[in-house]
Amino acid sequence: MEKPKPDDRSNNAERIENNIGHTLQNMNEARDFEKAHAEELSQEDKQQIEEKNQRRERAIEGMREEIKDEVNDQQNNS
């Protein structure tokens, strides 16, 4: 039986920052798409895009809290 790999948390903050960047990029792309195709999109489609971006915003808030936790954990374990 293989031993589990040790938990390497050294790059967690960096990984989370990358995820935030990708999420922000997706939000901007969704807004650009909505603007570019506003006349073609149904009200339901627009609402779905806006709701998804709201979920993305909440996810970003959570990820920022995770970064704070990671930084605090790294400082406490240094």
Side-chain angles (χ1 to χ4, degrees):
M1 184 169 205
E2 252 183 73
K3 286 185 187 180
K5 293 182 180 178
D7 186 19
D8 179 13
R9 300 174 61 122
S10 62
N11 69 342
N12 277 3
E14 182 180 335
R15 183 184 49 79
I16 295 167
E17 285 176 5
N18 287 336
N19 288 341
I20 289 172
H22 289 120
T23 303
L24 287 169
Q25 183 178 353
N26 288 340
M27 288 175 65
N28 290 332
E29 288 174 3
R31 285 187 188 120
D32 290 347
F33 179 86
E34 185 178 8
K35 286 178 187 174
H37 301 281
E39 294 177 11
E40 305 160 24
L41 295 172
S42 69
Q43 194 60 37
E44 183 179 345
D45 290 337
K46 291 177 188 178
Q47 184 176 347
Q48 287 177 349
I49 291 170
E50 290 169 16
E51 288 173 357
K52 187 155 190 171
N53 273 351
Q54 288 173 354
R55 289 191 300 273
R56 287 174 171 141
E57 286 177 13
R58 287 192 299 273
I60 288 171
E61 289 173 19
M63 287 186 272
R64 287 186 173 139
E65 288 300 316
E66 277 187 71
I67 288 176
K68 288 178 189 175
D69 291 344
E70 287 297 326
V71 170
N72 287 335
D73 187 52
Q74 286 176 0
Q75 289 174 345
N76 292 335
N77 289 330
S78 297

